[in-house]
Amino acid sequence: MNHILVTGGAGYIGSHTVLELLKLGENVVVIDDLSNSSKESLNRVETLSGKAVTFFEGSILDQDLLVNIFSQFSFSSVIHFAGHKAVGESVNKPLSYYHNNVQGTVSLVEVMEKFNVNNLVFSSSATVYGEGAKPPYIETQTLGCPTSPYGQTKLMVERILADVVRSNSDFKVANLRYFNPIGADESGQIGEDPNGIPNNLMPFVAQVAVGKRAELSIFGNDYATEDGTCERDYIHVTDLAQGHVAALNWLVNQAHGLCEAFNLGTGTPYSVLKIVKSFEQYTKVKVPFKFVPRRDGDLDAFWANADKAADKLNWQAHKTMQDMMEDTWRWQSNNPNGYNA
Ligand code: NAD
Ligand code: UD1
């Protein structure tokens, strides 16, 4: 029986993807060290899908554990989410990011090669386009220089995977470049549960709305955009999860080794102010905010050209801004303390 291995599957995007895979009847094995997640996410995924997930608590850096797992299951493919993702933290702890994200991937791919598992979907990021890139970002443009060590790890892993494909004509890789994932499964049972003070916009908005934080600080209102606040391409996490399913289906049907990148976004930018106003409109909950100076490293505006994913993967985002806001709120208001009930 074939299985799919999902690294980092207890995390935000991973848990939503595992849910979509189980709903389709796939057999899923998860490895996660729970460094930024809770096993409770997978308990809820099991309840929602009515299917079991095989879970291993441990790190992809632990090759003995990986070999043990690969010896027990026959994997058709691997979806690789495991990694650290806090941009600010990566500036202060670069070695931890290079070790976990880059060495972790090398460790995983070595074991994949050993067991002749040749299909890999990797969580990349729009950050690989770098600072000088002109939006909308398109896969054919030359990659830039990401400003943070976190971003560098994504670019390095993409390059490493391209080299692996050059050396192994059976190996197939889809690098999925996510734009800004937000929202939660429509059940309100699983969602984003950041540790400590949220770095990203949407969890901060949701925590203000639920009364955990007094007000949102909007970083800068003097950008070269319509209302002066930064613009991003926000994508519903369920659309993103379904993008992984589409990429896997495409990958396993390719005859030869390849390494292809796909933007996963909606193609539509929204400003920070528009996000706050949309949240208030669709949830009827006020979000007090103040303007503060710009955050270091923020770009004024970027969004995806998502045509390649539509053409080749037959995938596009369907959820609306209303879905993103309502689903975020359902998750946050049902689970004010995330998975720590
Ligand atoms: P997340 O932190 O919720 O999920 C990552 C998971 O990986 C966590 O459950 C964590 O415990 C686990 N993990 C970390 N290091 C590990 C290791 N060495 N071995 C095993 N498990 C490990 O983050 P997410 O938002 O779900 O992101 C998933 C992936 O997508 C990450 O690689 C991230 O860099 C990438 N990504 C995320 C975003 C975003 O906005 N959320 C955007 C672009 C790319
Ligand atoms: C961040 C990461 C990026 C990563 C992406 C998806 C940085 C610099 N970049 O992008 O590498 O791929 O997340 O996870 O962290 N904002 C506020 N107040 C807040 C939080 C955010 O005004 O409290 C603004 C930001 O200035 C930005 C927008 O909201 O304009 C979105 O921010 P965020 O959610 O952190 O995502 P990005 O910065 O786009």
Side-chain angles (χ1 to χ4, degrees):
M1 193 198 298
N2 268 340
H3 285 72
I4 297 168
L5 178 65
V6 181
T7 75
Y12 171 46
I13 305 169
S15 56
H16 286 80
T17 303
V18 171
L19 177 60
E20 296 304 310
L21 291 168
L22 293 177
K23 280 185 186 167
L24 291 168
E26 301 286 359
N27 301 304
V28 178
V29 176
V30 168
I31 175 171
D32 198 304
D33 64 4
L34 303 182
S35 55
N36 196 39
S37 54
S38 160
K39 169 71 175 42
E40 176 60 15
S41 64
L42 292 177
N43 297 341
R44 296 188 184 187
V45 162
E46 288 185 324
T47 307
L48 287 170
S49 65
K51 266 199 86 179
V53 180
T54 306
F55 177 67
F56 291 90
E57 182 174 346
S59 172
I60 53 167
L61 286 159
D62 179 349
Q63 276 203 335
D64 292 340
L65 174 61
L66 285 179
V67 167
N68 179 334
I69 296 171
F70 276 74
S71 308
Q72 293 180 50
F73 299 91
S74 167
F75 292 121
S76 56
S77 41
V78 176
I79 307 183
H80 177 30
F81 294 105
H84 296 330
K85 66 161 182 177
V87 173
E89 184 186 60
S90 78
V91 175
N92 298 321
K93 297 183 183 171
L95 295 178
S96 158
Y97 274 69
Y98 290 117
H99 184 62
N100 198 48
N101 294 7
V102 180
Q103 182 54 31
T105 304
V106 171
S107 165
L108 173 70
V109 175
E110 279 177 350
V111 178
M112 288 179 69
E113 285 204 309
K114 191 173 176 144
F115 286 83
N116 209 20
V117 176
N118 289 318
N119 298 303
L120 177 65
V121 173
F122 172 60
S123 294
S124 189
S125 166
T127 190
V128 298
Y129 290 105
E131 223 174 336
K134 291 261 174 302
Y137 294 169
I138 186 162
E139 295 87 345
T140 45
Q141 74 197 60
T142 309
L143 297 183
C145 182
T147 46
S148 69
Y150 163 76
Q152 291 289 354
T153 68
K154 293 294 172 191
L155 187 60
M156 282 180 188
V157 168
E158 284 207 16
R159 293 200 165 130
I160 289 168
L161 295 175
D163 286 342
V164 172
V165 169
R166 271 190 283 275
S167 72
N168 175 351
S169 58
D170 293 326
F171 208 76
K172 294 180 272 178
V173 176
N175 289 315
L176 303 186
R177 296 178 182 157
Y178 312 157
F179 282 68
N180 287 59
I182 61 170
D185 182 63
E186 63 183 8
S187 65
Q189 291 296 306
I190 57 172
E192 188 167 11
D193 181 18
N195 282 332
I197 301 172
N199 297 309
N200 297 113
L201 177 64
M202 209 57 229
F204 206 108
V205 167
Q207 291 195 6
V208 172
V210 85
K212 285 184 79 173
R213 309 203 177 267
E215 62 184 350
L216 170 73
S217 295
I218 296 184
F219 300 138
N221 61 346
D222 57 352
Y223 283 97
T225 58
E226 217 174 280
D227 63 24
T229 65
C230 294
E231 293 176 345
R232 296 287 183 271
D233 184 339
Y234 295 94
I235 174 172
H236 194 293
V237 66
T238 299
D239 278 330
L240 189 66
Q242 289 169 355
H244 290 73
V245 175
L248 260 193
N249 289 341
W250 175 81
L251 208 55
V252 295
N253 285 312
Q254 300 308 301
H256 303 291
L258 52 79
C259 185
E260 289 265 357
F262 295 94
N263 288 340
L264 296 186
T266 64
T268 307
Y270 268 79
S271 73
V272 178
L273 264 181
K274 266 195 189 153
I275 288 288
V276 173
K277 295 298 160 200
S278 303
F279 186 87
E280 293 185 335
Q281 178 190 349
Y282 294 123
T283 66
K284 311 283 179 248
V285 182
K286 284 297 279 176
V287 178
F289 67 85
K290 64 177 177 202
F291 293 114
V292 299
R294 293 177 174 200
R295 179 171 72 177
D296 271 357
D298 275 343
L299 302 177
D300 54 357
F302 62 85
W303 62 97
N305 174 322
D307 292 351
K308 184 175 174 188
D311 290 348
K312 287 205 171 187
L313 306 182
N314 198 21
W315 170 90
Q316 57 189 17
H318 292 293
K319 299 271 191 186
T320 61
M321 187 47 67
Q322 182 169 358
D323 297 326
M324 298 188 219
M325 298 300 139
E326 289 179 351
D327 293 343
T328 298
W329 184 231
R330 195 173 299 109
W331 155 251
Q332 185 70 65
S333 52
N334 286 346
N335 305 273
N337 298 315
Y339 291 113
N340 301 318

